[in-house]
Amino acid sequence: MQILGIETSCDETGIALYDDNTNQFIFESLFSQAAKHNLFGGVVPELAARDHINKLLPLIDEEFSSKNIDLKNIDAIAYTKGPGLRGPLMVGTAFAKALAFSLNIPTIPIHHMEAHLIMAKYEADSLLYPFMTLLVSGGHTLLAKVNSPDKYKIIGESIDDAVGEAFDKTAKLLGFKYPGGPEIEKNALKGNLSDLVFPRPMINSQDFNFSFSGLKTAVLYEIKRLKEDKRLDSQKKYDVSLAFQNAAIECLVIKSVNAMRKENCNQLVLSGGVAANKALRKSFKKEIDEKNLFYPDLSRCTDNGAMIAFAASEKLNLQRDHEIKVNPRWSLEEIDYG
Ligand code: KG4
Ligand code: ZN
């Protein structure tokens, strides 16, 4: 079966064609709108929706014609139904439904966060249920126990900001471009560990929740202080990046390890955009045996069409209705594709 995956939940227009007989991606293509949103310091939902409209058809046309594939060969179209930004979700959903209607094939609605974590199962035969997952993206920070393909139990989540948002905000305060996560990672490499230590909110709480707004505020005050003292030079920016990254990572590692212990899980899946951070992966490797640690390929950590097509092959919930319905707020515990 060949499944076309379409991702439009935020600011990346992603498409991919996956063949579940060969377990291969026939193509993967991504248009990132980051440069446009960078001008505004963050994602502008209306502009994101417009760009998806402008890009989806050309991307599909380019891939199918350059690879000489007939659209009629595809068996189903998977699309992101939520969670995400309503306008961008509506564009992808309407596009998927219309294309499927014209080809007389079914559609498969996909939960965006579930797709992030399921992507870690690609070529990872040793990953077995139940396992723990840490989902870290621009909109989510949560720990969930995955008991079976459809059974998620949320163990803990951020009570305020997502960790990706904290990365983006810190980068913005330091004058780095959007998205901030990769910029912080790059700049932190040149940072020195100094007396600068940011708080690790909720690290000693007995639950498995996270909080990143206090860390964000601490960074804000430190940068303000450095600016007032005219000391915010390049090296200081590297140091702040490193100190922030260390604090954020430590919170994620400690809570994940504790949750695994409590829930009796020895395997962990790291996924979502922040899981692309190599310092984060390295810190987890210090605590968890590498054979028990799973994450998608670096290129498939941030939003992409491949994860939507692959997740669809694992779910195969074929639908033939023409309802254009999205779920901008959708908990993993409420996955019900019916
Ligand atoms: O999963 P994703 O692409 O989109 C959402 O579903 O939100 O995640 C985007 C988030 C952004 O906050 C971005 O700054 C962060 O992931 N991110 C990173 C890295 N790459 C992306 N954060 C830290 N280090 C990275 N290398
Ligand atoms: Zn995402």
Side-chain angles (χ1 to χ4, degrees):
M1 183 164 188
Q2 293 195 353
I3 304 170
L4 176 66
I6 296 179
E7 157 60 29
T8 63
S9 69
C10 192
D11 61 340
E12 316 276 356
T13 315
I15 58 165
L17 187 59
Y18 174 70
D19 187 327
D20 70 353
N21 294 319
T22 58
N23 194 27
Q24 294 299 316
F25 290 97
I26 298 163
F27 65 72
E28 292 175 66
S29 177
L30 188 80
F31 173 75
S32 174
Q33 308 173 1
K36 178 170 286 174
H37 298 291
N38 187 28
L39 301 172
F40 303 92
V43 179
V44 184
E46 168 67 22
L47 294 182
R50 282 190 224 169
D51 251 11
H52 290 310
I53 293 176
N54 290 333
K55 286 294 168 197
L56 270 172
L57 206 45
L59 278 181
I60 299 236
D61 192 31
E62 161 71 24
E63 288 302 324
F64 278 88
S65 47
S66 68
K67 304 209 166 44
N68 226 346
I69 313 168
D70 193 334
L71 261 172
K72 292 200 179 89
N73 288 347
I74 60 177
D75 299 292
I77 300 178
Y79 64 95
T80 307
K81 184 177 176 185
L85 301 171
R86 186 177 295 273
L89 288 170
M90 291 291 289
V91 172
T93 304
F95 185 91
K97 293 275 180 184
L99 186 56
F101 179 73
S102 73
L103 296 167
N104 194 22
I105 56 174
T107 51
I108 309 173
I110 293 295
H111 187 290
H112 178 83
M113 301 311 292
E114 187 181 32
H116 268 305
L117 82 95
I118 285 185
M119 196 62 229
K121 287 183 75 192
Y122 185 62
E123 293 178 338
D125 296 339
S126 55
L127 178 62
L128 302 171
Y129 296 103
F131 58 84
M132 187 65 68
T133 183
L134 174 70
L135 283 168
V136 276
S137 72
H140 292 80
T141 302
L142 64 85
L143 275 163
K145 184 173 180 183
V146 190
N147 290 307
S148 61
D150 268 342
K151 290 270 170 294
Y152 296 90
K153 181 177 157 205
I154 295 178
I155 308 293
E157 56 193 323
S158 176
I159 59 166
D160 41 53
D161 304 330
V163 65
E165 198 184 330
F167 267 92
D168 292 337
K169 188 65 197 288
T170 299
K172 195 172 174 182
L173 290 168
L174 289 170
F176 302 155
K177 63 177 199 253
Y178 171 84
E183 295 300 305
I184 294 287
E185 177 174 10
K186 199 169 68 194
N187 283 281
L189 290 174
K190 294 183 254 174
N192 295 324
L193 276 180
S194 54
D195 320 337
L196 184 58
V197 177
F198 290 122
R200 274 86 168 136
M202 295 185 72
I203 207 145
N204 294 317
S205 68
Q206 294 306 303
D207 56 25
F208 304 102
N209 290 330
F210 306 91
S211 165
F212 291 101
S213 71
L215 172 58
K216 227 170 64 176
T217 309
V219 172
L220 171 78
Y221 284 130
E222 178 62 26
I223 292 174
K224 214 167 144 221
R225 210 167 17 246
L226 287 167
K227 276 188 179 161
E228 279 165 10
D229 297 349
K230 302 207 171 2
R231 287 194 297 127
L232 189 62
D233 56 13
S234 299
Q235 187 57 51
K236 272 280 175 296
K237 289 186 179 186
Y238 305 149
D239 298 350
V240 170
S241 300
L242 180 63
F244 161 78
Q245 185 172 267
N246 283 348
I249 290 176
E250 198 176 318
C251 297
L252 297 172
V253 173
I254 288 185
K255 293 281 171 148
S256 304
V257 170
N258 289 347
M260 289 171 75
R261 209 169 285 140
K262 155 118 193 310
E263 295 290 331
N264 256 329
C265 291
N266 56 12
Q267 294 188 313
L268 177 72
V269 165
L270 291 177
S271 64
V274 181
N277 187 291
K278 291 190 256 338
L280 174 88
R281 292 177 175 209
K282 204 167 151 194
S283 299
F284 269 101
K285 281 185 202 158
K286 282 190 197 143
E287 299 297 326
I288 298 168
D289 195 334
E290 229 177 299
K291 72 175 191 322
N292 287 327
L293 202 51
F294 299 83
Y295 26 71
D297 225 54
L298 266 187
S299 66
R300 296 185 187 128
C301 265
T302 45
D303 294 349
N304 63 84
M307 68 184 196
I308 304 303
F310 181 68
S313 75
E314 297 270 306
K315 314 289 299 185
L316 274 192
N317 181 351
L318 305 179
Q319 297 194 344
R320 282 192 179 269
D321 66 67
H322 308 302
E323 194 183 24
I324 313 283
K325 200 171 149 205
V326 297
N327 243 353
R329 290 175 169 272
W330 191 6
S331 165
L332 272 174
E333 286 180 339
E334 288 160 8
I335 290 186
D336 170 12
Y337 290 104

